């Protein structure tokens, strides 16, 4: 079964927790804090493997979660970083964030990698919080949670030449006689419901990959028929071979067929209008085809277009013109660059320049709900998840942070008094007004 679309969940590994520890050695009085930092969580990385051809594996495994980093250790020993999780994907896969619609990666080359979920940073141990006024803090951070999100993966067939056209015009038959591919062929519409690929050997040292893409009908750009299931694969092909039934055996006009297919391609992606296109006039072994071809040439000449199209008469039955078509396709391929790919996002390490800048204020919102006050802030919620609120030092540090950010002042303006309940995310606190707190 050919699977070309999948939705999966990925989560980077959480960072390891930092620890509270003190140096305790004989003859070393007041050894000081010695808790190690936690290790970073594992990244989830997608790597292209040219040996894969479908997204079938993602149909059965939909969740990928990186390992957690190790906790810190005594004697200021850091926890080990978790090993990155490598997930193999086929070339031609486009990865899209399901929530934002952002393209995370357009994967085309063997070995190409992209980080789809970053691992969380490790928490800091208590030596990181030592100050002159508090040289032995009992404060340590929890590891940061790894990035998590739902991704939609779309596989676009990687082929040099793509065969397009209405159903039953002979695309599958053409592929079967020019390559070793064995597509299912039948005298009814939509015989081909998944793309078929074949390697075409034109002559010694000259070959290319050809794809028989599923049949197309009017309205496909809106999802009619096979719709988008077909069109996503056309984007990858470097040269389009437009197969037209010149016999009109099904009562359709060849020129109208050609116009409709081109219109659907452009409506789906305007850039496809610029893609090189060869017209393969098929079924020339039928008597009416010769007259229809002459009429087709006249209509094409009268058609208002800045492009010139190469027409190659062929017959998949008698193999007339097949070799000429292959040479034409190979010649056009030589003039066309490799399949365009989206700009790859690369992480560039830049030299750090330290300069004084005003700290950006962390946005938050305070409101009253029933009998308690609520503080909404993604940044506060992230930070509070990393604090071990099981020691006096940690609680005081968090209280000072809230005051510096202006949260206390905002609560007082809203009418908060001593003993009122304040909620931040999943945590609840009692509000106490006062000014005698310890400075860091």
């Amino acid at each position: 079964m050919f699977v070309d679309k999948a939705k999966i969940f990925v989560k980077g590994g959480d960072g390891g927790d930092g620890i509270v520890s003190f140096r305790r050695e004989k003859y070393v009085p007041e050894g000081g804090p010695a808790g190690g930092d936690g290790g970073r969580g594992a990244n989830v990385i997608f790597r292209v493997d040219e040996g894969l051809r479908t997204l079938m594996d993602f149909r059965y495994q939909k969740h990928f979660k990186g390992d957690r980093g190790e906790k810190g250790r005594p004697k200021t020993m850091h926890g080990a970083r978790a090993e990155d999780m490598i997930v193999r994907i086929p070339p031609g896969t486009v990865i899209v964030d399901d929530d934002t619609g952002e393209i995370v990666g357009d994967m085309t080359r063997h070995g190409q990698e992209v980080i789809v979920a970053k691992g969380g940073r490790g928490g800091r141990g208590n030596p990181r919080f030592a100050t002159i006024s508090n040289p032995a803090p009992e404060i340590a951070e929890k590891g940061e949670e790894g990035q998590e999100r739902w991704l939609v993966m779309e596989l676009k067939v990687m082929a040099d030449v793509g065969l397009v056209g209405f159903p039953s015009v002979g695309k599958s038959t053409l592929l079967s006689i020019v390559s070793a591919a064995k597509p299912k062929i039948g005298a009814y519409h939509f015989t081909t419901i998944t793309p078929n690929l074949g390697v075409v050997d034109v002559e010694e040292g000259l070959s290319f990959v050809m794809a028989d893409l599923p049949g197309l009908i009017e309205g496909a750009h809106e999802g009619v028929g096979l719709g988008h299931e077909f069109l996503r694969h056309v984007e990858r092909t470097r040269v389009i071979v437009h197969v037209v039934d010149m016999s009109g055996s099904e009562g359709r006009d060849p020129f109208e067929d050609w116009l409709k297919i081109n219109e659907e391609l452009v409506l789906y992606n305007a850039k496809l209008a610029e893609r090189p296109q060869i017209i393969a006039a098929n079924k020339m072994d039928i008597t009416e085809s010769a007259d229809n071809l002459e009429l087709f040439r006249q209509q094409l000449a009268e058609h208002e277009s800045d492009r010139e199209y190469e027409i190659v008469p062929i017959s998949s039955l008698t193999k007339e013109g097949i070799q000429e078509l292959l040479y034409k396709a190979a010649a056009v391929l030589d003039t066309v660059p490799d399949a365009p790919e989206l700009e790859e996002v690369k992480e560039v390490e830049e030299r750090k320049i330290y300069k004084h800048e005003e700290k950006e204020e962390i946005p938050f919102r305070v409101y009253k709900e029933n009998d308690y006050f609520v503080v909404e802030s993604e940044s506060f919620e992230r930070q509070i998840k990393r604090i071990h609120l099981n020691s006096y030092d940690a609680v005081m540090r968090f209280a000072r942070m809230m005051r510096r950010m202006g949260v206390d002042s905002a609560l007082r303006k809203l009418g908060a008094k001593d003993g009122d309940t304040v909620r931040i995310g999943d945590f609840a606190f009692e509000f106490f007004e006062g000014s005698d707190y310890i400075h860091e």
Side-chain angles (χ1 to χ4, degrees):
M1 181 183 294
F2 185 89
V3 178
D4 64 353
K5 194 169 184 179
K7 184 177 178 179
I8 64 170
F9 176 79
V10 293
K11 184 184 186 306
D14 296 340
D17 296 344
I19 66 167
V20 175
S21 179
F22 294 92
R23 184 180 177 190
R24 292 182 172 86
E25 295 180 37
K26 194 174 182 180
Y27 308 121
V28 183
E30 300 179 354
D37 298 345
R40 188 180 185 90
N43 296 319
V44 179
I45 299 175
F46 282 2
R47 177 185 294 164
V48 176
D49 184 341
E50 61 185 9
L52 300 179
R53 286 291 176 264
T54 76
L55 298 175
M56 176 63 74
D57 292 343
F58 299 97
R59 189 173 183 180
Y60 303 104
Q61 184 179 354
K62 294 181 178 291
H63 290 75
F64 298 87
K65 184 177 179 182
D67 293 333
R68 186 184 188 113
E70 288 189 3
K71 292 177 63 174
R73 300 181 181 183
K75 298 184 180 179
T76 326
M77 291 189 292
H78 298 337
R81 173 177 181 159
E83 188 174 346
D84 290 339
M85 183 180 200
I86 305 296
V87 181
R88 298 185 306 133
I89 61 173
T93 303
V94 177
I95 307 161
V96 181
D97 188 297
D98 188 48
D99 292 328
T100 65
E102 173 194 4
I103 295 178
V104 179
D106 185 22
M107 315 299 284
T108 57
R109 302 186 309 275
H110 178 68
Q112 185 180 358
E113 293 184 350
V114 62
I115 298 175
V116 294
K118 291 185 177 180
R121 293 174 298 176
R124 293 176 291 178
N126 61 332
R128 304 285 190 179
F129 301 98
T131 62
I132 294 175
S133 59
N134 188 12
E138 294 187 5
I139 305 173
E141 284 181 333
K142 297 178 183 178
E144 185 181 46
E145 292 184 351
Q147 182 185 13
E148 61 181 57
R149 55 182 168 180
W150 284 92
L151 299 175
V152 174
M153 304 171 65
E154 293 185 354
L155 177 61
K156 298 180 180 180
V157 171
M158 299 286 289
D160 299 311
V161 177
L163 302 177
V164 305
F166 266 87
S168 300
V169 295
K171 301 187 299 298
S172 297
T173 305
L174 175 59
L175 180 67
S176 68
I177 64 176
V178 300
S179 72
K182 302 297 180 185
K184 181 181 177 183
I185 302 172
Y188 52 91
H189 286 184
F190 296 112
T191 306
T192 306
I193 59 174
T194 61
N196 294 299
L197 274 74
V199 178
V200 179
D201 288 319
V202 183
E203 59 182 24
E204 187 176 350
L206 181 60
S207 64
F208 56 81
V209 178
M210 179 180 284
D212 160 28
L213 302 170
L216 186 61
I217 61 175
E218 192 172 4
H221 71 282
E222 297 176 342
V224 177
L226 295 178
H228 297 158
E229 302 302 317
F230 161 89
L231 288 163
R232 74 164 60 97
H233 301 296
V234 184
E235 291 180 297
R236 282 283 187 233
T237 57
R238 297 164 58 197
V239 175
I240 296 174
V241 172
H242 195 147
V243 183
V244 180
D245 179 3
M246 277 299 158
S247 69
S249 56
E250 299 200 8
R252 295 197 308 264
D253 178 74
F255 189 71
E256 287 298 319
D257 283 2
W258 180 79
L259 287 176
K260 287 177 181 177
I261 295 295
N262 280 340
E263 184 180 3
E264 293 302 322
L265 295 177
V266 173
L267 287 173
Y268 178 73
N269 187 339
K271 291 185 178 180
L272 292 176
E274 305 169 4
R275 204 64 52 88
Q277 183 178 136
I278 301 171
I279 300 173
N282 196 19
K283 302 187 182 180
M284 292 304 296
D285 54 287
I286 299 176
T287 307
E288 295 83 359
S289 298
D291 293 336
N292 289 339
L293 179 58
E294 286 303 315
L295 179 60
F296 185 91
R297 290 183 188 276
Q298 293 176 16
Q299 292 171 317
L300 187 61
E302 296 169 0
H303 180 59
E304 294 181 1
S305 175
D306 298 332
R307 295 184 58 180
E308 292 185 3
Y309 294 92
E310 189 85 35
I311 302 176
V312 182
I314 66 168
S315 170
S316 298
L317 182 64
T318 65
K319 299 184 180 179
E320 172 194 355
I322 298 297
Q323 197 63 30
E324 181 186 354
L325 175 65
L326 299 182
Y327 278 119
K328 291 281 186 187
V332 175
L333 278 172
D334 284 340
T335 65
V336 179
D338 291 340
E341 57 188 64
L342 301 176
E343 290 186 5
E344 191 177 341
V345 179
K346 297 182 179 178
E347 295 181 3
V348 180
E349 293 185 1
E350 297 181 354
R351 182 168 55 92
K352 292 183 180 179
I353 299 176
Y354 296 93
K355 58 182 180 180
H356 175 73
E357 291 183 353
E358 291 185 6
K359 289 186 178 180
E360 185 179 350
E361 292 186 4
I362 297 176
F364 64 87
R365 186 167 75 96
V366 178
Y367 61 91
K368 190 170 184 181
E369 186 176 284
N370 299 327
D371 296 330
Y372 53 87
F373 295 86
V374 178
V375 179
E376 271 190 1
S377 170
E378 290 185 9
S379 177
F380 284 149
E381 289 180 27
R382 283 198 305 268
Q383 291 188 45
I384 200 171
K385 286 179 181 178
R386 300 191 67 186
I387 298 175
H388 287 282
L389 296 174
N390 55 359
S391 69
Y392 177 80
D393 285 352
V395 172
M396 287 297 99
R397 181 172 182 271
F398 179 69
R400 290 193 296 272
M401 182 186 73
M402 298 288 282
R403 288 198 179 109
R404 282 199 304 268
M405 299 302 177
V407 177
D408 282 14
S409 177
L411 287 168
R412 283 195 295 271
K413 287 180 182 178
L414 202 61
K417 298 185 174 107
D418 285 2
D420 287 343
T421 301
V422 180
R423 295 187 65 88
I424 303 178
D426 297 329
F427 297 87
F429 309 90
E430 285 189 14
F431 180 76
F432 285 99
E433 191 173 356
S435 58
D436 52 342
Y437 56 89
I438 302 172
H439 291 274
E440 281 187 325

